Amino acid sequence: MSSNKKYWKSVEELNENSSIVETLRNNEFVEEIPTDEFLGDAASLASSNTTRRDFLKYVGFSTAAATLAACEGPVHKSIPYVVQPEEIIPGIADYYATSFSDGFDFANILVKTREGRPIKIENNKLEGAQFHANARVHASVLSLYDSLRLKTSKIAGKDASWTEANAKITASVADAKAKGGKVVLLTNTSASSSTDRLIGQFLAANPNAKHVVYDAVSSSEALDAFQAVYGERALADYDFSKAGVIVSVGADFLGDWQGGGYDASYAQGRIPQNGKMSKHYQFEANMTLSGAAADKRVPMTVAAQKQALVQIYNVVTGASVGSSNNPEVAKAAQQLKAAGSKGVLVSGIDDKNAQLLVLAINRALGSEAFNTGNTRQIRKGNNADVSQLIADLKAGAVHTLIMNGVNPVYSLPNGKEFADALKKVKLAVTFTMKEDETALASSIAVAVPHYLESWGDVSIVKGSYAVTQPTIRPLFDTVQFQDALLSWTGNTQSYYDYVRGAYAGAKTWNQLVHDGVEFTSLPAAAGASADFNAAAAVLANAKSAGMELVLYTKTGMGDGQQANNPWLQEFPDPITRASWDNYVTVSKSDAEKLGFENWNVANGGLNGSVATLKVGTVTLENVPVMIQPGQAKGTVGLALGYGRVASLKEEMQVGVNAYALYNNFKAEQTVSLAKADGEHEFACVQLQKTLMGRNDIIKETTLEIFNTKDAAEWNIMPVVSLDHKEVAATSVDLWESFDRTIGHHFNLSIDLNACTGCGACVIACHAENNVPVVGKAEVRRSRDMHWLRIDRYYSSETTFDGDNKTKAASEGLMDSISTLRAMEDPSENPQVAFQPVMCQHCNHAPCETVCPVAATSHGRQGQNHMAYNRCVGTRYCANNCPYKVRRFNWFLYNQNEEFNYHMNDDLGRMALNPDVNLRSRGVMEKCSMCIQMTQATILKAKNEGRVIKDGEFQTACSNACTSGAMIFGDVNDKDSHVAKLAEDKRAYHLLEHIGTKPNVVYQVKVRN
């Protein structure tokens, strides 16, 4: 039997009312230990000279007391649900279908939420979903938690309620109507049928009002051309999977041309199937993603591109309009004509005549890839209307100006004049998420919600209808522009009721909200005739008036709306591999003439010259210069979207505002540039440029060899010597392998043919795995924390095959050294290859054998694990990793004012994924192959009592990849897609000869 005896230390304990007894019950000591005296004062602690004996004496008081005094932990209050929402299960993610639209980017997406917090954007993969998420759309979830968002409306710079602001706006509109003054609504392209109807109702109620649509990056010339032929102000859509021959004249269709979103259909035709793949010609000035992917890229000025377009028009249609005769263009034109309906031509030239020829050529071909039925509705801007508005503002002819989704003070080339003209308006109102440049110049700034806080609808293409639904309650005191329109037209409905009431599609409303989108395929439109020969005659006379400036939008920054997003600022440009900047790109030959240089400094950072640019009367000073392989001679490039200051954290105020040079909404300008004093420090993550003949890293071949030769000849497997015989390197092993056929075994397959370098996977990885942002200074020290990088390689000769031949032809030590040194310099028009590289999760991982504390180890499912709590930061694993994919936390990036990004404020941390811990200073981190996602899939299937289907297993990168370049799955499921790819004749492993046996498989790149 157990004893029930009670033991006591003194008779005082027998006194139930004793204060001493009560104190001892709750504390170890009767009197409070004065730990604050020796640990609370940082200044005295720093100046003290505590001996080891004194320290042990302090510890002797109470280790717990001293620890608590030294480490005051934050207090987190958990508030339980009074009535728990049925759809929310703590710890389980919910997904909502919605749509992204900001006037520049559009997408049908899913939003992952945790306990009511949106934390990640994913692609809506249902049939009918049109645009998938690019890097900017993936990053938009972080913009929801931007601490510099406008939190309430402002009148004359002071906080005000919407009621006060609305009263002033309503009075001004009424005053304008009574006096016959002009009211103008200036908006971006909403692509929203409900918004268009509301604007129409407002205009009907106010005959003195006018609606002007303004796109910061204009497509007006293409819209004008399409409207002239087809009678609709829209853009033709393209399905590149239906094209056997693709010719692009100045159109970066894998980038932002016409809103982007073409990479998925393009990649389908680029993966060799049944011995066939599409042929791609690219004629352009700047090196672009499309040019990098092309089979044949020809750099040329914009003037030469216009003449090339005429030459192609002559060949395809049989016309005989005078133009230059370029043999490369002639070859492309002949193949395009021979392809007939399997051919397609696109152009990004800002010229109505050029766009008319595009329509004429595709009509003559009968191109199946050319879609005039389901036209794109995402650009509606009209240059003529915007120019007229500016003239009216200067003349004081506008009474009330109401703006939504635009920032003309920043994005117009004459932004300062626009700001000055606003002073002549009786009332200038802007609906905006940020107190941006235009908001600061307006009388009233109305705070609007983020799209993740809003209801709405969007028709990205004709025949498509998608809903936008809120995934979180509004964080601030905001008002939607559409709700304002409803109130101004006397409609008491909420915008949600208005959208729902107007919907008349085939689905039920609940089904539409669940799916997010519905789509109907429409027949091709019958186009009218136009004088195409006259358009060609104008283009045939095109000539360069000097050095040409070609303005473009970067894959990361776009038109600059998300300039305060640190994920996008630190996102390395796929071509230059530089972040935190825009810069003038110039060819090597032009750089030598003008005295521009790039060089590396002692810490590995890239530095360069700066230039002064002048277009017309506008001058930009101290513009960094990047020497860009593939830049057409006689041209320079400069990215829009940078140089913003208003409503940006200091760290994000980078670059120069190239919109100042965007005269007449033309991307091509005649520019003069000269070297200026000083130098610029770039944050470039990849200093090596060429592959230097290392064809075991990126393996490639031609379609002809792929079809006619055995795989052993073009997918060469490395061999080693064993018992004086050559054997396959993969057959020799230092380790005794264990049985990996039991359970799941994960592989990731990366197809180099399908990868366009778009970087959506990089941002998705950031969002899923709480990857920290380190800032420009740390990136320059090669301390970027990206778990996934996309290496970009140039050829030293005009082709990678030429590199291999040059390397093989070298003889002797000195000749080899000089040859390799020469091969470090890329060709003036190189071939380009992209290669995503993350932790390869080697089955025989070199990192695991050198870790002194077993912080990194291998799991049965094929993943290389990291136990962060065990890691002591020796970095032996990074030294021993041949792929250089491990990242070391030099600093604490969370809640640290030295790294003032989203992790340093309470609002920004709402984007963090609770399934992935935050790493602290002094530990190594890397790709985990999204183990939290694979385990969640296993548990879900287990709870549902079913077998996991092929395609269910995903990582953040594979889920974000719309081109199909990344396929993830279980190779132990022999019927899975990834298992078949692992056995494909194009499959190889990176650095296969070193015997690490990676679980990431690459597919040999095939060029046509």
Side-chain angles (χ1 to χ4, degrees):
M1 292 181 63
S2 61
S3 173
N4 291 322
K5 291 182 179 179
K6 182 176 180 181
Y7 294 91
W8 43 271
K9 295 178 182 178
S10 71
V11 292
E12 187 70 27
E13 290 185 47
L14 299 177
N15 184 0
E16 290 289 339
N17 298 319
S18 172
S19 61
I20 296 176
V21 171
E22 184 62 28
T23 302
L24 286 172
R25 282 175 179 169
N26 298 299
N27 298 286
E28 184 178 355
F29 303 101
V30 178
E31 294 184 11
E32 185 177 354
I33 301 300
T35 52
D36 287 346
E37 294 181 14
F38 58 87
L39 290 174
D41 187 351
S44 61
L45 186 63
S47 60
S48 68
N49 186 19
T50 306
T51 65
R52 180 173 178 271
R53 186 178 209 174
D54 289 337
F55 175 75
L56 293 175
K57 181 176 66 176
Y58 296 149
V59 173
F61 284 139
S62 169
T63 303
T67 303
L68 287 173
C71 306
E72 295 181 2
V75 176
H76 299 286
K77 295 181 180 179
S78 296
I79 303 174
Y81 294 112
V82 177
V83 178
Q84 181 174 318
E86 184 180 343
E87 68 275 11
I88 293 180
I89 302 174
I92 303 297
D94 289 310
Y95 293 84
Y96 297 89
T98 188
S99 295
F100 177 92
S101 61
D102 67 358
F104 187 74
D105 290 309
F106 295 80
N108 299 133
I109 57 176
L110 297 180
V111 181
K112 178 182 179 181
T113 68
R114 284 294 302 270
E115 290 76 56
R117 283 185 302 118
I119 61 170
K120 189 168 179 280
I121 303 300
E122 296 187 359
N123 291 310
N124 189 338
K125 298 180 181 179
L126 289 182
E127 186 177 358
Q130 294 301 303
F131 286 30
H132 293 127
N134 59 22
R136 295 185 296 272
V137 176
H138 278 288
S140 65
V141 69
L142 190 58
S143 295
L144 167 67
Y145 304 116
D146 187 344
S147 59
L148 294 184
R149 279 181 57 188
L150 191 59
K151 297 174 178 60
T152 188
S153 299
K154 291 196 172 187
I155 299 176
K158 296 182 179 179
D159 290 354
S161 67
W162 163 242
T163 303
E164 295 172 294
N166 193 32
K168 284 185 174 291
I169 297 168
T170 305
S172 183
V173 171
D175 183 57
K177 187 176 182 179
K179 296 179 179 178
K182 185 179 291 186
V183 176
V184 177
L185 298 181
L186 179 65
T187 72
N188 59 5
T189 300
S190 66
S192 165
S193 57
S194 64
T195 303
D196 290 343
R197 281 195 302 274
L198 282 171
I199 290 174
Q201 291 166 10
F202 177 83
L203 297 181
N206 298 277
N208 57 321
K210 181 182 180 182
H211 180 213
V212 177
V213 182
Y214 165 55
D215 296 325
V217 181
S218 177
S219 296
S220 187
E221 303 290 347
L223 291 165
D224 292 342
F226 194 86
Q227 188 173 19
V229 176
Y230 292 95
E232 178 189 8
R233 192 161 186 80
L235 298 171
D237 201 8
Y238 296 88
D239 184 351
F240 290 101
S241 67
K242 298 178 179 179
V245 176
I246 302 166
V247 178
S248 170
V249 183
D252 183 16
F253 59 87
L254 295 180
D256 294 332
W257 177 74
Q258 291 196 175
Y262 293 113
D263 50 343
S265 64
Y266 174 80
Q268 289 181 44
R270 297 298 290 170
I271 299 174
Q273 294 176 336
N274 301 319
K276 295 181 179 180
M277 62 181 286
S278 61
K279 177 80 172 179
H280 175 192
Y281 290 92
Q282 186 82 11
F283 303 95
E284 63 182 10
N286 297 340
M287 173 66 81
T288 66
L289 291 180
S290 302
D295 295 303
K296 181 64 179 178
R297 178 183 181 273
V298 181
M300 55 173 56
T301 63
V302 177
Q305 291 172 36
K306 292 178 179 179
Q307 294 182 356
L309 204 53
V310 177
Q311 189 177 344
I312 296 169
Y313 171 74
N314 286 340
V315 171
V316 172
T317 66
S320 56
V321 181
S323 69
S324 60
N325 187 16
N326 185 312
E328 296 285 2
V329 175
K331 184 177 179 181
Q334 291 293 347
Q335 291 200 17
L336 185 63
K337 183 178 181 181
S341 64
K342 294 298 181 182
V344 67
L345 178 135
V346 293
S347 177
I349 300 172
D350 281 341
D351 188 295
K352 182 179 178 180
N353 292 318
Q355 296 302 326
L356 284 171
L357 291 196
V358 172
L359 302 179
I361 291 167
N362 285 316
R363 284 173 63 175
L365 292 169
S367 174
E368 295 176 16
F370 179 61
N371 188 341
T372 59
N374 297 103
T375 53
R376 292 198 166 196
Q377 304 293 310
I378 58 176
R379 298 288 185 269
K380 297 285 186 180
N382 191 311
N383 292 348
D385 287 352
V386 175
S387 298
Q388 183 60 51
L389 171 61
I390 294 170
D392 290 345
L393 288 171
K394 289 180 178 178
V398 177
H399 183 285
T400 303
L401 177 64
I402 301 173
M403 296 169 281
N404 177 59
V406 295
N407 186 7
V409 174
Y410 163 71
S411 59
L412 282 174
N414 50 351
K416 188 177 184 304
E417 292 181 17
F418 188 90
D420 292 338
L422 287 182
K423 298 174 183 176
K424 300 179 180 180
V425 177
K426 295 288 185 182
L427 185 70
V429 182
T430 182
F431 285 75
T432 177
M433 273 183 56
K434 306 290 289 292
E435 195 171 11
D436 55 26
E437 292 80 359
T438 302
L440 291 172
S442 300
S443 311
I444 298 176
V446 180
V448 299
H450 191 269
Y451 79 97
L452 292 175
E453 303 168 312
S454 312
W455 280 103
D457 60 0
V458 62
S459 295
I460 296 176
V461 300
K462 196 174 183 180
S464 161
Y465 185 82
V467 69
T468 299
Q469 65 170 313
T471 57
I472 188 173
R473 289 179 62 87
L475 298 174
F476 305 117
D477 181 17
T478 54
V479 177
Q480 271 190 261
F481 178 61
Q482 292 83 356
D483 279 315
L485 286 171
L486 283 166
S487 69
W488 298 336
T489 54
N491 194 327
T492 58
Q493 280 184 299
S494 68
Y495 184 44
Y496 164 75
D497 291 331
Y498 184 85
V499 172
R500 181 173 183 174
Y503 173 65
K507 298 180 178 181
T508 64
W509 173 255
N510 286 345
Q511 188 64 45
L512 175 68
V513 172
H514 174 271
D515 296 348
V517 65
E518 69 175 10
F519 176 75
T520 304
S521 182
L522 301 176
S529 60
D531 194 347
F532 298 117
N533 282 349
V538 174
L539 293 176
N541 295 319
K543 293 181 180 178
S544 296
M547 183 71 78
E548 290 183 356
L549 169 66
V550 181
L551 299 169
Y552 68 99
T553 54
K554 265 195 180 188
T555 306
M557 193 52 59
D559 65 348
Q561 291 187 59
Q562 295 192 70
N564 202 46
N565 192 313
W567 285 349
L568 294 178
Q569 288 284 7
E570 193 148 296
F571 173 72
D573 182 77
I575 300 295
T576 64
R577 307 298 292 138
S579 58
W580 293 99
D581 261 320
N582 65 340
Y583 31 76
V584 174
T585 56
V586 60
S587 69
K588 183 179 180 180
S589 57
D590 286 336
E592 290 174 350
K593 292 177 186 176
L594 296 167
F596 296 130
E597 296 177 286
N598 287 155
W599 64 93
N600 296 117
V601 293
N603 68 353
L606 179 69
N607 286 16
S609 305
V610 293
T612 300
L613 272 66
K614 187 173 183 181
V615 173
T617 59
V618 180
T619 300
L620 284 184
E621 296 181 345
N622 297 320
V623 184
V625 175
M626 179 78 75
I627 299 174
Q628 175 61 56
Q631 184 76 34
K633 296 178 183 177
T635 70
V636 295
L638 182 61
L640 300 164
Y642 287 81
R644 290 189 57 189
V645 176
S647 69
L648 264 67
K649 289 185 177 181
E650 185 178 355
E651 293 82 359
M652 259 70 85
Q653 297 174 17
V654 296
V656 296
N657 185 3
Y659 281 113
L661 309 180
Y662 193 35
N663 292 337
N664 301 316
F665 306 102
K666 300 284 187 185
E668 308 85 31
Q669 303 286 336
T670 300
V671 65
S672 62
L673 71 163
K675 186 177 181 181
D677 293 335
E679 62 184 70
H680 182 78
E681 297 182 344
F682 291 100
C684 195
V685 299
Q686 184 180 339
L687 301 182
Q688 77 277 16
K689 295 181 178 179
T690 66
L691 203 59
M692 292 179 63
R694 294 173 292 186
N695 55 340
D696 57 340
I697 294 177
I698 289 185
K699 294 185 180 183
E700 66 166 41
T701 187
T702 64
L703 184 62
E704 180 184 3
I705 294 174
F706 175 78
N707 287 333
T708 59
K709 301 290 181 67
D710 189 78
E713 295 187 45
W714 48 264
N715 189 5
I716 301 172
M717 293 299 161
V719 295
V720 294
S721 176
L722 180 66
D723 298 330
H724 307 289
K725 295 179 182 178
E726 283 190 349
V727 297
T730 53
S731 67
V732 180
D733 210 339
L734 293 177
W735 286 272
E736 184 177 336
S737 295
F738 60 87
D739 184 7
R740 303 183 190 278
T741 61
I742 301 170
H744 303 293
H745 189 84
F746 297 117
N747 265 205
L748 175 66
S749 175
I750 300 176
D751 196 326
L752 300 181
N753 263 53
C755 179
T756 63
C758 71
C761 54
V762 176
I763 302 298
C765 177
H766 264 283
E768 177 66 32
N769 295 298
N770 300 332
V771 177
V773 173
V774 301
K776 182 175 180 178
E778 291 301 298
V779 173
R780 270 184 62 81
R781 297 183 177 95
S782 301
R783 292 176 179 173
D784 62 287
M785 297 299 293
H786 296 104
W787 282 14
L788 162 62
R789 70 175 192 265
I790 304 178
D791 289 338
R792 180 268 304 124
Y793 293 106
Y794 299 128
S795 63
S796 181
E797 304 294 333
T798 54
T799 64
F800 285 105
D801 186 53
D803 287 6
N804 296 334
K805 292 175 181 176
T806 299
K807 181 181 177 182
S810 62
E811 296 181 358
L813 177 61
M814 298 310 296
D815 185 32
S816 296
I817 291 173
S818 60
T819 299
L820 290 174
R821 281 180 177 170
M823 289 178 72
E824 291 181 6
D825 293 326
S827 165
E828 287 211 352
N829 182 30
Q831 279 190 338
V832 185
F834 295 110
Q835 184 177 53
V837 181
M838 67 292 289
C839 175
Q840 303 291 291
H841 295 272
C842 310
N843 288 321
H844 292 167
C847 56
E848 295 170 11
T849 58
V850 296
C851 181
V853 291
T856 182
S857 59
H858 212 69
R860 178 167 286 279
Q861 295 177 345
Q863 292 144 320
N864 176 255
H865 295 200
M866 275 297 304
Y868 298 122
N869 284 356
R870 293 185 66 92
C871 181
V872 293
T874 62
R875 292 181 285 152
Y876 295 162
C877 57
N879 293 336
N880 221 37
C881 175
Y883 308 104
K884 301 306 168 193
V885 289
R886 290 175 165 262
R887 300 288 179 259
F888 182 66
N889 283 279
W890 291 92
F891 301 97
L892 177 66
Y893 302 112
N894 176 42
Q895 293 182 283
N896 186 344
E897 291 185 1
E898 293 297 320
F899 300 93
N900 191 23
Y901 309 110
H902 66 291
M903 286 188 183
N904 190 46
D905 60 66
D906 291 336
L907 193 61
R909 284 195 296 275
M910 286 180 71
L912 296 176
N913 183 1
D915 291 332
V916 181
N917 64 329
L918 290 179
R919 286 74 64 184
S920 188
R921 180 183 182 182
V923 302
M924 191 66 68
E925 62 180 75
K926 62 160 194 76
C927 161
S928 66
M929 209 174 259
C930 290
I931 189 170
Q932 71 280 1
M933 294 179 68
T934 57
Q935 292 306 302
T937 302
I938 292 170
L939 290 173
K940 180 181 179 183
K942 183 178 180 180
N943 289 336
E944 295 174 0
R946 60 174 178 81
V947 176
I948 297 171
K949 301 173 186 175
D950 184 30
E952 276 194 86
F953 282 123
Q954 293 288 351
T955 58
C957 55
S958 67
N959 211 19
C961 184
T962 57
S963 66
M966 292 183 175
I967 302 296
F968 181 77
D970 180 5
V971 289
N972 283 346
D973 176 4
K974 298 305 177 185
D975 293 326
S976 66
H977 192 183
V978 75
K980 293 172 182 176
L981 287 171
E983 300 299 325
D984 190 85
K985 63 180 182 179
R986 287 201 294 138
Y988 76 97
H989 294 105
L990 190 56
L991 301 181
E992 202 150 24
H993 58 278
I994 61 178
T996 55
K997 298 187 182 300
N999 281 313
V1000 177
V1001 182
Y1002 292 88
Q1003 306 293 323
V1004 172
K1005 187 173 181 67
V1006 181
R1007 296 185 187 269
N1008 190 354

